[in-house]
Amino acid sequence: MFSYFFNKTTSSNHTSSIWIYRIIFFLFTWIYLGVAKSDLLYKLQEANYFLFDHTFIEQLLTNKSGLIVLCSRFLLQFCYYPLLGGAIIAALLTGIEIICHHLFKLNGKGSIIGFIPSFILLILQVSITYELYDSFDTSYAFVIIIGWYYALLLFFLYNKLKKNLFGVIFFTILVALSSIQMGPAAIVALLLISTQAFLSKEYKNGIITTTIGTLFVILAAYFTIHHITPSYFNYAILYPWPNLFFKYIFYMTLGGHLIAILLLTAYPLYYHILEHSKYIYQPAIGVLFMGLTLLLGRYPTAFQEELHLQQLTHEMQWKELAKTANNVKVSSKLIAAYRTIGLVTTDQLTQKFFDFDFDYHQPTFNKYYEEVVYNPDFMFYASFPQISYRWSMEAWTSIKEQFYILQLMSLTAYINEEYNLCERYLSILKKTLFYKDFAVNLEKYLNNEEAFYHKYPVMKKIKDAQAKSDVSGILPCTSALYLDFKSLSPLNTERRILSRLYRRELEEFETELSLSMLPKENHIPECFQEGIILKSIISNDPNIIKNFPIDEQVRNKVTSLINYYKKHINDSAVKEQIHEKFGYSYTYYFIFGYGAKNTQNKISD
Amino acid sequence: MKPILFILLITLLSSCSSNTTIPKNVQSASQDIAIYPDFKDVTVPQNIAPLNFHVDTPCDEVIIEVQSNNGEKIIEEGHDRTVKFNPKEWSKILRSSSAGEITFTPYLKNKKKWAKYNSFTVNVIDAPIDSFVTYRLIEPSFMSTGQIGLYQFNLFSGEESTIIRRCKNPTSESLHDQSCVNCHAAQKKNPQNKMFYYRGKEGGLILTYNGQIKKIDTKVEGMLAPSTYPAWHPTLPLIAFSTNLVYQDFPTTRKGKTEFYDINAFLILYDILSNETYILPNEKKQLCTNPTWSPDGEYLYYAVSDSSINQQKPIEAEYPKLKYNIARIKFDPTTKSFSEPDVLLNVNAGGYSATFPRISPDNRFLLVNISHFGASPHTHIESDLFALDIHNKKLFPCTNANSPEAESYHDFSSKANWFVFYSRREDGNYGRAYISYIDSTGTCTKPFQLPHKDPLTDRERLKLYNVIEFSNSSVSFSEGDFYNVIWNQKPIQAKADSRNQQTDGNSGATPHKKESQTDATTGASRLQIPINH
């Protein structure tokens, strides 16, 4: 049975159908990744780091699995254009199927088996979700693909050399040495060989080779890793596979690889069943795997929307950002943060800020890391460049080096008038493939602030609204930061008053609104009007309203909403009913929004 | 066959050797070139690694002619405008130019035409320097666990190697355990007796002493925080520490971006042999930090502040009140006790703060940081290095070493003729390591940056150097040796010194041995300290 491999010719009957399947697989993968998962691909490359710089490359190559990580990071850059990245991945995965098809002689009805490793790799790629907000190396998306190419190459080589003793010795040494640069791909190859040998009962060569090969791989890892302790050793052998901290991805990777290895190597055992079975219908298996991909590649709640809003922010598509953020289906702190950026950049902050469900769902990942994701952007657009810089550094150090953070830090340095610092970041960005243009463009403005702020009015807004005095940036939230500035530009006064509303500090809100110039104008934003009406109701002082330009319609709406709430207070669906009847508003936020428990009592009393 | 082999050998050898020549038909540009790092007019020791550099002046090709004052020459071609010298040829040039200048003449090619630019010189002096500097690499402005590590740089070869990098323990349940590598120090530049702190869940004082690595928890009753800034006694198995309850703030506008301030800080003495921690009395409840020993071990110098922070008030308005002077206390090695402190340098009167005292091994100068306030001068744009002549109490700025940006983290070489320090002069953010020569009068030279093999290392490195110290050899333990102890050993708990019970920890009730006050105090107003802005 062992001679099955490499000796059987391919049946010509199925040649045309297999190419149709390949085209279908390619198109499915390309569209699925390039369109449906474009946000993920974009974010994966944003969190990537690759420089066309010999020092960077040398340093990467001195690390364990350096070459495979280097190649993967290089390819991941192309996901800057998700359609291009998707096409590359689809082509590579189709290539794996073609190699498997020829290497394992998958003929007839069994040829569909050749797609299984590619489907498994596709599922593994799209299984990355919140891990990318952590210290997860996003090059994993390509590491597993390149790893398979390398494993199949080794497998091919072994089968060519296995009958020659010196060939086998050469092979084991090659596997061990290559594992230093190619990481666990060598282990995948050894698993392919050992499973093949075990199932074909040709233990002598296969098992001995893989045993010695595995020992060599372990020894190679032992001598090349820096931290030679038993606890760290397992991780060092498997790197750059995700480690056990990312349990879900780790076990998926392990399980997926074992299934693929087993199905390919055991093919000689079951191909007769496939060939003679009336019920094996290849398209059905294909559809099953496509369905599995769609099912297992589903995102957690809010994740896709969060990714999309980030992409819009980083591409500086403000109007689209504000529009998309207002139509999100789920609320999360991340979404709220990016929505606020959309409102700030399109001058709609006070008009629309509370037109949103602030009842955040709990993130499925570490809460601290949620802040690390949105705060670099959020603080930047909130006109706190130094605090943004601090959070960028947090992301840089606690997640990892990433293109986007470098880009943001260069902008922060520019706004902060630290041009030498900005130049340092730009000099590095100029060594990237797709962020080079950004660097070259910003570099032109290093000695020409006026032109820069003229061309980018949003940046001017950020700069103009900056704090002029020092405040401790370690305050718990942005609203607290705004509250600490006593006298700022009118823009900040408005934000400061809005912060009082957000924190439900109605007493201070009323005082500060009175002191500001805003009531002297004929119109104040609706949420401010609602704040005044609520203050009047809670303190049972109707005179408060007289001091402010309150619209009768707004007054009626708030009164109706509160009356409705009081009437249906014990109804479990009161929140949904009010939303349906009145929509989102400051009053709605006051009663039901994030941290509203105490205020509900005030209203019901 | 033989002639072919011979030709191949000749071809191979000729491809290895430098055959660069000075270009012909050269025009005179009469301009200076810009290079990175800026090695122009610096003073270097005779055994320094090649001063490789990058030519920032735009050009298509570059050739550099280096000539010693004895006529020895190297002609080196740059690749991608980066000039790297052959270490053997470089060493020959340095040896042949003892106590003299070497001259660099640049030839730049633009649009197929070569031009000769203005020469620049480097001064070579026959003053011994320690072979290594050690430092920590860290990002400038963050709070959580980062990619922090301790490194050593060979000044004679230009090679950098890792001592230890902070890394996650894979057996830990949490990916987000906070840990940090910091505050390293060695006994008299000897890395065999060295310590650093590994902070976090598995942390402790990682001490290498007598060929062994130990993990020690020096914290005893009465200490509010673990031991922080260390100072090895030059001869005895003792380490003085400050124990600091330190906080970090991120001000919204100040360019330094981060501010560290002490809520509480006092001194302790850890005895390695008896494994005992002695809390030094602090009756006045002053903030005492940055200890350092005099070279003879007779005095412990430190920064001291009478001010304190009211945590009920806005913190950004409070920490500017923290101003430090430099004090010292006499140490009795037989009883391991200290006498009454005296203030050696008083700059508070002038509205300044003096921190990080370091004494030259010849006991001549005290190098100190002076800034407007606080104990984190490395983040203060105005922070400069000043030298105090210990004998005549004259304080003067290290003019040639200082820059408009922050300087800090200084350390003298074993022979007292070089000092290494940190400066943010490049961009106000990423501090780099510089070395300056200091003569017997306290005059220092234009400093040179660490001569990395790849001259663009410091430009592209997105980490800053801190706690930079000279070392006379490399650390003998591997990173794996350290992690074996960190991850697999429980810390040895230090015992409280019996004298601590009498002192009630920080409050301090033990009577001091009175030492007569010296007249060392020199008011800053009289000194008119030129603080840059």
Side-chain angles (χ1 to χ4, degrees):
Chain A
M1 190 181 291
F2 195 44
S3 59
Y4 175 89
F5 297 97
F6 307 102
N7 290 332
K8 199 172 174 183
T9 53
T10 311
S11 164
S12 59
N13 296 340
H14 298 279
T15 310
S16 57
S17 64
I18 194 71
W19 276 105
I20 292 170
Y21 295 144
R22 279 170 192 160
I23 292 166
I24 293 171
F25 175 79
F26 176 85
L27 290 174
F28 169 77
T29 310
W30 184 28
I31 293 164
Y32 179 60
L33 289 175
V35 179
K37 297 288 180 187
S38 65
D39 302 314
L40 178 69
L41 291 197
Y42 188 83
K43 184 69 191 176
L44 287 174
Q45 68 77 32
E46 262 196 348
N48 185 29
Y49 197 62
F50 180 91
L51 303 177
F52 290 95
D53 176 82
H54 63 90
T55 309
F56 171 81
I57 291 169
E58 272 172 25
Q59 278 177 357
L60 208 57
L61 288 176
T62 55
N63 291 337
K64 171 83 175 42
S65 306
L67 185 60
I68 196 168
V69 172
L70 183 79
C71 298
S72 304
R73 287 193 185 185
F74 170 76
L75 287 173
L76 187 54
Q77 292 181 103
F78 294 95
C79 292
Y80 184 84
Y81 300 107
L83 275 175
L84 176 62
I88 292 170
I89 295 172
L92 288 170
L93 291 179
T94 312
I96 287 178
E97 184 281 323
I98 294 170
I99 295 170
C100 287
H101 182 87
H102 290 287
L103 210 50
F104 294 93
K105 300 296 171 198
L106 309 171
N107 297 306
K109 290 178 182 174
S111 56
I112 196 76
I113 299 300
F115 287 97
I116 291 175
S118 302
F119 266 117
I120 286 173
L121 295 178
L122 177 61
I123 291 168
L124 291 177
Q125 285 182 320
V126 294
S127 300
I128 307 166
T129 55
Y130 284 115
E131 288 83 7
L132 62 77
Y133 294 154
D134 221 320
S135 329
F136 182 84
D137 196 329
T138 52
S139 63
Y140 166 81
F142 279 93
V143 159
I144 47 175
I145 296 177
I146 296 169
W148 262 85
Y149 271 95
Y150 190 67
L152 292 173
L153 175 71
L154 288 179
F155 181 74
F156 170 77
L157 203 61
Y158 170 74
N159 280 294
K160 289 287 179 198
L161 298 172
K162 68 185 176 190
K163 285 178 184 164
N164 182 320
L165 179 65
F166 289 108
V168 171
I169 293 168
F170 166 76
F171 177 79
T172 45
I173 293 169
L174 175 74
V175 169
L177 291 179
S178 68
S179 71
I180 297 168
Q181 284 295 321
M182 295 303 285
I187 298 171
V188 174
L190 290 172
L191 281 171
L192 278 167
I193 294 164
S194 61
T195 319
Q196 179 201 52
F198 184 77
L199 294 171
S200 59
K201 296 181 181 167
E202 292 206 357
Y203 305 116
K204 198 181 163 188
N205 282 347
I207 304 296
I208 291 171
T209 308
T210 47
T211 310
I212 296 171
T214 309
L215 284 172
F216 277 9
V217 167
I218 291 168
L219 279 174
Y222 184 84
F223 285 113
T224 53
I225 56 167
H226 293 286
H227 315 300
I228 309 163
T229 65
S231 53
Y232 199 63
F233 191 49
N234 305 331
Y235 171 56
I237 294 170
L238 289 175
Y239 182 78
W241 268 17
N243 64 37
L244 276 164
F245 297 119
F246 307 102
K247 281 192 176 66
Y248 175 66
I249 298 282
F250 177 82
Y251 287 119
M252 285 268 288
T253 310
L254 196 63
H257 277 69
L258 289 176
I259 290 168
I261 289 164
L262 204 62
L263 282 172
L264 286 175
T265 50
Y267 181 68
L269 295 177
Y270 66 85
Y271 84 101
H272 290 293
I273 305 167
L274 295 182
E275 280 299 319
H276 299 115
S277 170
K278 292 174 186 173
Y279 306 104
I280 301 298
Y281 188 56
Q282 293 188 57
I285 295 178
V287 170
L288 176 73
F289 269 94
M290 285 184 198
L292 267 177
T293 309
L294 297 176
L295 186 73
L296 294 171
R298 280 184 313 162
Y299 286 139
T301 322
F303 181 68
Q304 181 148 13
E305 282 168 336
E306 288 165 356
L307 286 184
H308 188 52
L309 294 179
Q310 285 178 64
Q311 186 176 346
L312 290 171
T313 306
H314 301 171
E315 290 176 345
M316 300 188 179
Q317 297 185 43
W318 317 123
K319 283 182 185 169
E320 188 61 26
L321 172 66
K323 194 177 145 192
T324 312
N326 279 328
N327 296 323
V328 292
K329 294 185 185 99
V330 192
S331 170
S332 73
K333 272 193 177 178
L334 259 167
I335 290 173
Y338 283 97
R339 180 181 172 273
T340 309
I341 292 171
L343 298 178
V344 166
T345 47
T346 52
D347 293 325
Q348 304 178 76
L349 189 64
T350 44
Q351 287 79 29
K352 290 192 175 170
F353 185 70
F354 290 105
D355 188 12
F356 182 72
D357 182 10
F358 282 97
D359 192 9
Y360 310 125
H361 86 277
Q362 286 305 305
T364 52
F365 61 112
N366 187 306
K367 197 182 165 206
Y368 170 74
Y369 280 74
E370 188 182 35
E371 289 180 342
V372 177
V373 174
Y374 69 72
N375 262 338
D377 284 321
F378 188 68
M379 290 296 178
F380 179 76
Y381 288 100
S383 294
F384 294 115
Q386 293 219 156
I387 311 301
S388 161
Y389 185 78
R390 174 250 161 139
W391 281 104
S392 290
M393 278 287 165
E394 299 285 355
W396 187 264
T397 55
S398 59
I399 301 177
K400 66 185 184 63
E401 302 101 329
Q402 356 185 356
F403 286 139
Y404 174 65
I405 290 295
L406 203 55
Q407 193 177 324
L408 184 63
M409 288 198 295
S410 64
L411 273 176
T412 308
Y414 190 95
I415 301 274
N416 220 14
E417 295 176 14
E418 294 174 297
Y419 301 116
N420 288 340
L421 181 61
C422 179
E423 207 172 354
R424 186 190 293 278
Y425 293 133
L426 296 183
S427 71
I428 297 167
L429 279 170
K430 280 200 291 191
K431 293 184 176 182
T432 65
L433 190 61
F434 295 114
Y435 292 85
K436 189 181 173 182
D437 292 345
F438 166 87
V440 171
N441 186 39
L442 186 56
E443 197 178 37
K444 284 191 297 195
Y445 297 103
L446 279 175
N447 296 313
N448 197 348
E449 269 190 67
E450 205 179 324
F452 176 77
Y453 291 116
H454 179 73
K455 184 157 186 192
Y456 302 102
V458 168
M459 297 297 141
K460 184 161 185 356
K461 266 185 223 170
I462 293 167
K463 187 164 175 68
D464 289 349
Q466 272 191 106
K468 304 286 183 272
S469 57
D470 239 349
V471 167
S472 169
I474 206 146
L475 289 165
C477 56
T478 323
S479 55
L481 265 175
Y482 277 120
L483 296 183
D484 255 35
F485 293 109
K486 300 284 181 261
S487 55
L488 288 168
S489 68
L491 183 60
N492 274 318
T493 311
E494 207 172 66
R495 289 179 192 181
R496 187 183 157 88
I497 294 166
L498 197 67
S499 294
R500 291 288 184 203
L501 279 186
Y502 182 73
R503 296 162 71 89
R504 299 182 177 85
E505 295 167 355
L506 295 183
E507 191 74 44
E508 294 85 351
F509 159 74
E510 188 211 338
T511 314
E512 289 179 21
L513 185 61
S514 316
L515 292 171
S516 76
M517 295 298 287
L518 295 170
K520 295 176 180 62
E521 296 168 11
N522 287 331
H523 179 74
I524 57 172
E526 193 170 319
C527 61
F528 287 7
Q529 294 181 46
E530 286 187 52
I532 290 298
I533 298 162
L534 283 170
K535 172 72 180 34
S536 158
I537 293 169
I538 288 166
S539 56
N540 205 15
D541 181 2
N543 292 327
I544 294 173
I545 294 173
K546 290 176 190 167
N547 300 326
F548 300 91
I550 304 292
D551 195 289
E552 196 57 34
Q553 267 187 325
V554 177
R555 192 175 175 175
N556 292 340
K557 184 182 153 188
V558 172
T559 317
S560 309
L561 194 155
I562 288 171
N563 289 339
Y564 189 92
Y565 175 66
K566 282 181 176 172
K567 199 173 166 186
H568 301 87
I569 196 160
N570 295 323
D571 192 336
S572 59
V574 64
K575 186 180 165 188
E576 288 73 25
Q577 288 164 10
I578 288 181
H579 172 232
E580 206 170 300
K581 206 171 164 64
F582 301 95
Y584 294 122
S585 63
Y586 179 65
T587 316
Y588 178 89
Y589 166 81
F590 193 82
I591 303 170
F592 302 112
Y594 183 67
K597 280 184 183 166
N598 296 333
T599 50
Q600 281 175 352
N601 297 335
K602 287 181 189 172
I603 292 291
S604 55
D605 292 344
Chain B
M1 190 68 182
K2 276 184 180 174
I4 297 170
L5 280 174
F6 180 71
I7 291 164
L8 279 173
L9 191 68
I10 294 294
T11 315
L12 192 71
L13 286 174
S14 61
S15 66
C16 295
S17 66
S18 167
N19 54 2
T20 311
T21 52
I22 305 281
K24 289 168 186 169
N25 301 324
V26 176
Q27 295 172 333
S28 177
S30 299
Q31 283 174 29
D32 292 335
I33 61 161
I35 60 166
Y36 182 88
D38 179 12
F39 289 132
K40 290 177 187 172
D41 304 322
V42 298
T43 301
V44 297
Q46 214 178 1
N47 40 9
I48 196 71
L51 300 182
N52 300 333
F53 57 84
H54 179 265
V55 176
D56 284 346
T57 306
C59 63
D60 301 328
E61 285 181 50
V62 58
I63 288 174
I64 302 287
E65 182 190 31
V66 187
Q67 189 166 10
S68 73
N69 53 0
N70 285 348
E72 194 77 36
K73 263 187 195 177
I74 316 177
I75 299 168
E76 196 64 58
E77 189 180 355
H79 297 280
D80 291 334
R81 290 193 276 156
T82 297
V83 182
K84 291 183 182 179
F85 299 102
N86 178 308
K88 280 185 185 168
E89 290 178 4
W90 174 261
S91 163
K92 218 170 151 186
I93 280 272
L94 288 188
R95 277 201 307 271
S96 73
S97 62
S98 57
E101 280 181 354
I102 49 176
T103 308
F104 294 69
T105 309
Y107 297 87
L108 270 56
K109 189 179 179 184
N110 266 314
K111 295 175 185 171
K112 296 181 182 174
K113 284 180 183 171
W114 284 97
K116 184 181 177 183
Y117 282 66
N118 293 344
S119 299
F120 59 91
T121 57
V122 165
N123 303 308
V124 183
I125 54 166
D126 187 14
I129 192 168
D130 297 284
S131 51
F132 281 83
V133 285
T134 61
Y135 42 80
R136 181 165 71 146
L137 291 176
I138 188 171
E139 281 78 7
S141 175
F142 73 105
M143 204 174 194
S144 62
T145 288
Q147 299 151 353
I148 305 162
L150 299 181
Y151 298 82
Q152 53 195 351
F153 183 87
N154 187 331
L155 288 169
F156 303 160
S157 72
E159 279 172 1
E160 184 183 77
S161 55
T162 309
I163 300 173
I164 186 170
R165 285 165 300 180
R166 176 256 159 202
C167 84
K168 295 177 183 109
N169 182 348
T171 58
S172 163
E173 287 175 7
S174 168
L175 181 63
H176 309 293
D177 283 345
Q178 301 287 301
S179 57
C180 177
V181 186
N182 60 8
C183 302
H184 60 283
Q187 186 175 37
K188 221 173 176 183
K189 321 288 180 206
N190 173 14
Q192 310 322 319
N193 290 349
K194 191 175 174 67
M195 58 128 300
F196 64 85
Y197 248 102
Y198 196 89
R199 308 276 182 198
K201 214 164 88 180
E202 293 143 327
L205 168 69
I206 310 300
L207 180 76
T208 55
Y209 189 72
N210 281 346
Q212 279 190 315
I213 308 176
K214 288 177 183 173
K215 181 160 80 171
I216 296 153
D217 181 359
T218 51
K219 192 174 172 184
V220 296
E221 199 183 338
M223 285 167 67
L224 298 172
S227 44
T228 313
Y229 297 107
W232 277 79
H233 190 278
T235 53
L236 300 170
L238 301 169
I239 311 175
F241 290 96
S242 61
T243 165
N244 305 53
L245 194 56
V246 59
Y247 283 70
Q248 190 181 2
D249 186 36
F250 297 90
T252 47
T253 59
R254 194 176 305 134
K255 289 279 190 266
K257 296 188 177 67
T258 178
E259 182 71 35
F260 300 87
Y261 55 93
D262 288 336
I263 296 295
N264 199 324
F266 50 92
L267 301 173
I268 63 164
L269 184 72
Y270 175 68
D271 186 329
I272 296 169
L273 297 183
S274 67
N275 188 35
E276 284 181 340
T277 301
Y278 167 50
I279 301 171
L280 271 69
N282 184 7
E283 287 159 348
K284 294 179 184 170
K285 300 203 172 181
Q286 293 166 309
L287 297 174
C288 306
T289 189
N290 308 148
T292 191
W293 292 94
S294 59
D296 52 13
E298 281 190 17
Y299 284 94
L300 183 67
Y301 289 74
Y302 57 98
V304 61
S305 174
D306 292 323
S307 19
S308 62
I309 277 183
N310 182 349
Q311 287 179 282
Q312 306 305 315
K313 292 187 175 173
I315 201 68
E316 65 278 7
E318 280 294 296
Y319 52 69
K321 293 177 188 167
L322 291 181
K323 292 181 192 288
Y324 291 80
N325 287 319
I326 302 298
R328 66 177 183 179
I329 27 177
K330 194 163 173 56
F331 177 63
D332 181 349
T334 49
T335 58
K336 289 172 192 163
S337 60
F338 294 87
S339 56
E340 188 78 7
D342 71 285
V343 174
L344 181 73
L345 174 65
N346 183 344
V347 293
N348 285 185
Y352 300 109
S353 181
T355 45
F356 284 98
R358 292 287 181 271
I359 322 283
S360 60
D362 59 1
N363 213 13
R364 178 74 200 275
F365 297 111
L366 182 146
L367 212 55
V368 71
N369 257 131
I370 295 191
S371 57
H372 285 153
F373 64 87
S376 63
H378 54 287
T379 67
H380 283 233
I381 191 169
E382 80 283 0
S383 167
D384 271 349
L385 294 177
F386 278 70
L388 177 79
D389 188 322
I390 292 176
H391 302 307
N392 64 19
K393 308 294 182 292
K394 189 187 162 198
L395 183 72
F396 54 92
C398 303
T399 311
N400 290 330
N402 290 329
S403 77
E405 297 287 345
E407 272 77 36
S408 184
Y409 294 127
H410 39 280
D411 184 43
F412 278 102
S413 67
S414 300
K415 302 287 182 195
N417 40 17
W418 299 92
F419 65 96
V420 64
F421 63 100
Y422 149 109
S423 173
R424 289 190 169 195
R425 65 190 61 191
E426 275 187 9
D427 58 14
N429 217 49
Y430 290 95
R432 298 295 181 230
Y434 293 83
I435 298 172
S436 180
Y437 174 75
I438 182 165
D439 67 15
S440 56
T441 64
T443 307
C444 57
T445 58
K446 180 184 173 182
F448 65 92
Q449 214 164 324
L450 290 189
H452 287 279
K453 278 188 164 179
D454 178 355
L456 290 175
T457 302
D458 275 349
R459 180 175 275 175
E460 291 173 0
R461 173 171 267 166
L462 294 182
K463 286 179 189 291
L464 60 79
Y465 296 69
N466 74 11
V467 197
I468 311 159
E469 296 197 340
F470 278 110
S471 180
N472 58 25
S473 65
S474 62
V475 172
S476 54
F477 291 104
S478 75
E479 209 172 358
D481 295 333
F482 287 126
Y483 272 110
N484 255 330
V485 173
I486 293 165
W487 286 341
N488 302 327
Q489 285 185 20
K490 286 191 173 169
I492 301 163
Q493 180 60 56
K495 294 171 281 181
D497 187 290
S498 56
R499 290 169 291 178
N500 291 356
Q501 292 158 2
Q502 304 160 35
T503 62
D504 186 24
N506 185 26
S507 61
T510 308
H512 289 286
K513 276 202 285 178
K514 196 81 180 169
E515 197 198 13
S516 59
Q517 288 271 352
T518 65
D519 193 26
T521 308
T522 324
S525 54
R526 276 192 288 135
L527 292 164
Q528 295 179 328
I529 298 162
I531 299 289
N532 55 34
H533 293 277

